[in-house]
Amino acid sequence: MREMPSKNLKMNTVIYSQIISIFGSLGRWQQALSIFTEMKGNNVKANPITISSVLKSLAQGGKWETAISLYESCESDDIKMDTVTLNNVVDACRRAQQWGPAMAFLDQNNRLGSSNIITFNTMIGASRKLSQALTTFGRALTMKLKPDEITYNTIMHLCAKRGHWEKAVWVLRHMEQTRLSPDVHTYNTIINAFKTSGQWSRALAMLNYMRKIGVNPDSVSYNSVISACAKAAQSKVAYQVFMEMRRVSVIANNKAYCSVISALGQSYQWQQAKGVFDSMENSGIRRNLVTINSLINTYGKAHQWARALQAFENLTEEHLKPDAFSYNILINAMAMANKWELAIRVYDDMKLSRISPRPVTFTPLRRIAANLPEIKAEEVIRDMQNLRLSTRRFSSARQTHLDAAEFRGFDKDGRSQFSGDEGSWDSVSGIPDDEDDSRM
């Protein structure tokens, strides 16, 4: 910023506040703080608006300790602080998930007397633990503050993340007793709590309850229920909810399609999964990498290796680039069908594409280890050693055919138990969480 000569412009509180606000909006908290320090050095009196602008920039910069220090310094200078200024400090703590320091800050100098429900909502947002959120909620009630929808929804969201569906329901009941009307977002949070806790039947019941009381479920509602059913291997119910979603003209997105395809894949219903996949085009929904990966994984589980290969090759037609998971599930499909030559070809192509093998890549390769030529087996062993993986089981499989059930990820019938999850074969859903839609 160009320095302005004092002879041309007399700096006052308003001008300083505007400059600080500009720097704050640009995320340049250092400059905002520097201008504030200059302001005090020039004996220009600061007001709550000026201080709030500085605190807001500090909050955005994650400087919660500096925000607390600045507030305390202004208090010492007998500057009258208002509720907005107080809440800016609490928000700085919230952004850094510093619930303890925020509570200690409020407990000093009778600052709670300047607080309002926004203060406590922000405190709940700063909570890492559910117990902290409930403690904050209790203190708000003790102070006779009236919780609002944000209060309840924030606590329920934390319950959902931690898998405490019983507490989420308790908060909902408390909300209803205050005569606040839960909206679709509130019920979606409860459904998500059921999903996280593996309570698929309760998630389904809540969906039906919403319709009964006149709250129309949206795409998030249906997606969460379908995902809950998929996690619990309830493929039939997941498919029924998906069809109901389409019947009532709620637009299904890629996440919904992925969930139902993964659910059908867990019960080896590849034909039905293919039908769902094909219907995406008729619905005008562009298939993404996650959706096609779900279909490839479904084919692999059902021993449909040729279809898995075709779906993989179709990625090019969709202008999509295979990722590590795409290669891993295709290798698994080939290994389960004992197509070791194709499995190795896919493995080689994966490396040529500069996609590094992961630990899970070698699980299906152990299945075909006994069939590999010596030179190729040695290459796989070197790759495993580069990842610091034990090669004992792979080497043992070179000497004798182990039963398929001895391998992690295969059941007694030799079917793959790999889930379809994007990053791991250890989970059961095959679909990322709702708070992370970045790859959808």
Side-chain angles (χ1 to χ4, degrees):
M1 181 176 178
R2 186 178 300 172
E3 184 178 352
M4 293 173 288
S6 57
K7 64 179 182 179
N8 294 330
L9 178 64
K10 184 177 181 180
M11 301 294 286
N12 57 30
T13 303
V14 174
I15 295 175
Y16 271 117
S17 296
Q18 290 175 343
I19 296 173
I20 290 171
S21 179
I22 291 172
F23 279 125
S25 65
L26 296 174
R28 297 165 65 177
W29 65 268
Q30 297 97 331
Q31 287 88 340
L33 186 59
S34 176
I35 294 295
F36 180 74
T37 302
E38 176 190 313
M39 177 181 181
K40 292 179 65 177
N42 291 335
N43 294 319
V44 178
K45 187 176 181 180
N47 60 22
I49 296 176
T50 312
I51 299 168
S52 290
S53 297
V54 181
L55 291 172
K56 190 176 295 184
S57 69
L58 291 171
Q60 293 173 350
K63 299 298 177 180
W64 61 273
E65 293 173 301
T66 307
I68 290 177
S69 178
L70 176 63
Y71 188 97
E72 292 173 342
S73 174
C74 292
E75 273 187 333
S76 300
D77 293 339
D78 293 326
I79 299 176
K80 187 176 181 181
M81 312 296 273
D82 59 13
T83 303
V84 175
T85 310
L86 180 79
N87 289 344
N88 280 325
V89 177
V90 178
D91 184 55
C93 294
R94 176 192 66 83
R95 290 170 182 264
Q97 294 285 279
Q98 295 292 329
W99 180 87
M103 185 60 77
F105 167 77
L106 288 175
D107 282 335
Q108 296 174 5
N109 297 339
N110 194 33
R111 292 173 185 144
L112 281 173
S114 302
S115 64
N116 57 15
I117 193 59
I118 297 175
T119 312
F120 283 88
N121 289 347
T122 308
M123 280 290 300
I124 292 171
S127 304
R128 293 185 179 182
K129 300 178 180 178
L130 181 57
S131 59
Q132 295 172 339
L134 294 176
T135 296
T136 307
F137 180 66
R139 293 193 67 171
L141 294 178
T142 301
M143 292 182 61
K144 308 297 183 182
L145 294 174
K146 186 179 179 181
D148 57 17
E149 290 86 351
I150 296 175
T151 314
Y152 288 107
N153 287 340
T154 305
I155 298 175
M156 283 186 278
H157 177 70
L158 189 58
C159 291
K161 286 180 64 177
R162 299 294 182 265
H164 294 293
W165 67 268
E166 301 99 328
K167 289 185 174 64
V169 171
W170 177 85
V171 175
L172 175 63
R173 296 289 177 257
H174 195 285
M175 180 181 186
E176 291 173 335
Q177 290 172 7
T178 62
R179 296 185 179 180
L180 288 174
S181 299
D183 57 12
V184 65
H185 175 72
T186 306
Y187 289 114
N188 286 346
T189 305
I190 296 294
I191 291 175
N192 191 41
F194 290 144
K195 181 191 75 172
T196 306
S197 307
Q199 301 290 322
W200 69 270
S201 60
R202 285 188 167 89
L204 179 62
M206 181 58 73
L207 185 72
N208 293 330
Y209 176 72
M210 290 172 66
R211 290 193 289 252
K212 182 179 179 181
I213 63 174
V215 177
N216 294 324
D218 59 11
S219 60
V220 176
S221 315
Y222 282 101
N223 288 346
S224 295
V225 174
I226 292 170
S227 182
C229 294
K231 281 187 173 184
Q234 296 293 325
S235 59
K236 182 178 180 180
V237 181
Y239 182 72
Q240 289 173 343
V241 174
F242 176 77
M243 295 306 292
E244 169 68 14
M245 180 182 188
R246 299 184 65 186
R247 188 185 69 80
V248 297
S249 300
V250 174
I251 298 176
N253 57 17
N254 265 289
K255 180 177 288 187
Y257 281 98
C258 284
S259 294
V260 72
I261 290 171
S262 295
L264 293 169
Q266 290 177 34
S267 56
Y268 315 117
Q269 299 180 54
W270 65 268
Q271 298 98 329
Q272 206 166 13
K274 178 64 163 56
V276 172
F277 180 82
D278 290 341
S279 69
M280 295 181 70
E281 185 174 1
N282 295 332
S283 300
I285 297 178
R286 189 176 184 276
R287 300 149 178 164
N288 63 14
L289 180 60
V290 181
T291 316
I292 298 178
N293 280 348
S294 296
L295 184 65
I296 295 171
N297 200 34
T298 294
Y299 285 143
K301 290 177 180 180
H303 290 197
Q304 297 292 319
W305 65 269
R307 294 180 183 275
L309 180 59
Q310 182 62 52
F312 180 87
E313 292 174 346
N314 286 344
L315 285 171
T316 304
E317 297 180 10
E318 299 284 346
H319 305 289
L320 297 171
K321 184 178 180 180
D323 61 3
F325 184 64
S326 310
Y327 284 103
N328 288 340
I329 54 179
L330 185 59
I331 291 170
N332 175 59
M334 300 307 171
M336 286 305 303
N338 203 27
K339 299 292 181 180
W340 66 267
E341 291 175 309
L342 287 175
I344 288 300
R345 189 183 304 171
V346 175
Y347 179 73
D348 289 340
D349 185 53
M350 178 181 188
K351 294 197 295 181
L352 286 173
S353 300
R354 297 185 178 181
I355 296 178
S356 300
R358 300 178 180 180
V360 291
T361 308
F362 300 98
T363 302
L365 290 180
R366 288 200 298 265
R367 178 81 162 76
I368 58 173
N371 302 106
L372 299 182
E374 188 67 29
I375 188 171
K376 183 55 67 174
E378 291 176 355
E379 178 186 334
V380 173
I381 288 174
R382 285 195 302 271
D383 291 341
M384 295 178 70
Q385 290 172 337
N386 289 337
L387 291 176
R388 297 182 180 181
L389 299 176
S390 171
T391 60
R392 180 181 57 83
R393 294 183 66 190
F394 184 88
S395 298
S396 296
R398 293 278 299 155
Q399 305 301 322
T400 180
H401 288 277
L402 298 179
D403 183 82
E406 293 182 40
F407 292 103
R408 180 182 71 83
F410 298 92
D411 63 18
K412 64 182 180 180
D413 298 318
R415 291 187 182 277
S416 168
Q417 292 297 305
F418 295 160
S419 70
D421 176 64
E422 289 182 82
S424 167
W425 281 335
D426 293 326
S427 67
V428 292
S429 70
I431 299 298
D433 288 338
D434 286 345
E435 295 160 319
D436 186 8
D437 276 349
S438 61
R439 295 193 62 183
M440 302 305 295

